[in-house]
Amino acid sequence: MGRGKIVIRRIDNSTSRQVTFSKRRNGLLKKAKELAILCDAEVGVMIFSSTGKLYDFASSSMKSVIDRYNKSKEHCQLGSSVSEIKFWQREAAMLRQQLHNLQESHRKMMGEELSGLTVKDLQNLENQLEISLRGVRMKKDQLLMDEIQELNQKGNLIQQENVELYKKVNLICQENKELKKKVYGTKDENETNRNSVLTNGLSIGEDLHVPVNLQLSQPQQQHYKAPSGTTKLGLQLH
């Protein structure tokens, strides 16, 4: 039977972990040494254990390997920066050319700098302008139609509101007529009743305007005998 697949994860048991570290460290250093000898490669390996102990191997010297690594990394970074600069320079040049072409086309459409164009070029330019003008007119007509439709809708709403208001006004006028009939009918009845009532032989209407005068006078002779020694006073209306 073959060996089962090992799950790559941290070993919880400290003894097993230490044994595995020692075996794999030795195997890695052995493979690095074989790679340097067989392929004439400059190899440098550094390993730190969990306790901080260093294990290393270098085909020449660790210092030379590290120096070569730093120089190579700086060169790669510089080469990457140079490549990026060249890329953006090409992009900028291409954008400048596009801008120049657009400006030239705009000037031609405005009727400027046409001296170097042939009859065919002028005909193509005229066709482009006619197509553009047709599109502009279509867009303008569409906007005008939309505005007219919107105004018609608003007019219909206003007309409906006017009809509703007219109905309300007619209803209010009808209510006012009915109230007027009720008020004036009651007033006529009250006027008739007031003129028919008499108080002390005079109508109410006449009493309102007749002046009243009061004065003292001697009382008229009565059919009964008044007691002696008393003063007789009377009040008459004139």
Side-chain angles (χ1 to χ4, degrees):
M1 292 180 65
R3 297 178 58 185
K5 185 176 179 180
I6 300 176
V7 180
I8 303 301
R9 64 181 181 181
R10 183 178 182 276
I11 301 174
D12 296 331
N13 187 275
S14 60
T15 302
S16 299
R17 185 168 61 248
Q18 184 63 33
V19 171
T20 302
F21 173 75
S22 298
K23 290 181 179 180
R24 295 196 176 236
R25 178 201 63 200
N26 294 333
L28 179 59
L29 295 176
K30 181 180 178 181
K31 292 293 183 182
K33 184 177 180 181
E34 292 176 354
L35 179 62
I37 295 172
L38 294 174
C39 301
D40 195 18
E42 189 172 7
V43 180
V45 179
M46 289 187 297
I47 303 173
F48 289 92
S49 66
S50 59
T51 58
K53 188 175 181 180
L54 173 64
Y55 302 91
D56 61 345
F57 167 78
S59 58
S60 56
S61 67
M62 186 60 69
K63 185 176 182 303
S64 63
V65 173
I66 294 173
D67 292 340
R68 187 174 179 181
Y69 168 77
N70 291 330
K71 290 179 181 179
S72 178
K73 187 175 181 181
E74 291 176 0
H75 179 72
C76 291
Q77 291 177 349
L78 181 61
S80 177
S81 300
V82 172
S83 299
E84 186 175 0
I85 291 172
K86 290 181 178 180
F87 170 77
W88 288 114
Q89 287 177 348
R90 290 193 300 270
E91 288 290 325
M94 184 171 59
L95 291 175
R96 281 194 296 269
Q97 185 63 34
Q98 291 179 359
L99 178 61
H100 176 73
N101 295 336
L102 291 173
Q103 290 175 347
E104 184 178 359
S105 177
H106 180 264
R107 287 192 294 269
K108 290 179 180 179
M109 288 188 174
M110 296 298 294
E112 302 173 358
E113 299 181 3
L114 302 177
S115 58
L117 299 179
T118 62
V119 176
K120 185 176 181 180
D121 294 336
L122 292 173
Q123 185 65 36
N124 293 332
L125 180 60
E126 183 179 3
N127 294 334
Q128 291 178 1
L129 291 174
E130 289 180 354
I131 294 172
S132 299
L133 183 59
R134 191 179 302 113
V136 171
R137 288 174 177 171
M138 291 177 62
K139 184 63 176 179
K140 184 187 71 174
D141 294 340
Q142 182 64 35
L143 291 176
L144 290 175
M145 292 297 295
D146 293 341
E147 290 181 0
I148 291 172
Q149 185 177 2
E150 184 178 358
L151 290 174
N152 288 332
Q153 292 177 354
K154 290 181 179 179
N156 293 331
L157 292 176
I158 292 173
Q159 185 177 4
Q160 293 177 0
E161 291 178 357
N162 288 336
V163 171
E164 295 296 329
L165 290 174
Y166 183 75
K167 291 179 179 179
K168 291 181 180 179
V169 169
N170 288 336
L171 182 61
I172 292 173
C173 291
Q174 186 66 27
E175 292 177 353
N176 288 337
K177 289 180 180 180
E178 294 177 358
L179 290 174
K180 187 175 181 180
K181 289 180 180 180
K182 293 179 180 180
V183 170
Y184 281 98
T186 304
K187 182 177 180 182
D188 293 339
E189 292 178 359
N190 293 335
E191 186 70 21
T192 302
N193 295 332
R194 185 179 61 182
N195 292 332
S196 63
V197 175
L198 296 178
T199 304
N200 295 327
L202 296 174
S203 66
I204 296 175
E206 293 176 348
D207 291 341
L208 294 176
H209 302 285
V210 175
V212 178
N213 295 323
L214 300 177
Q215 69 179 22
L216 294 174
S217 63
Q218 291 295 331
Q220 296 179 359
Q221 187 67 33
Q222 301 294 328
H223 296 287
Y224 63 90
K225 184 177 180 181
S228 59
T230 59
T231 304
K232 298 179 180 179
L233 296 177
L235 182 63
Q236 292 183 348
L237 293 177
H238 296 280

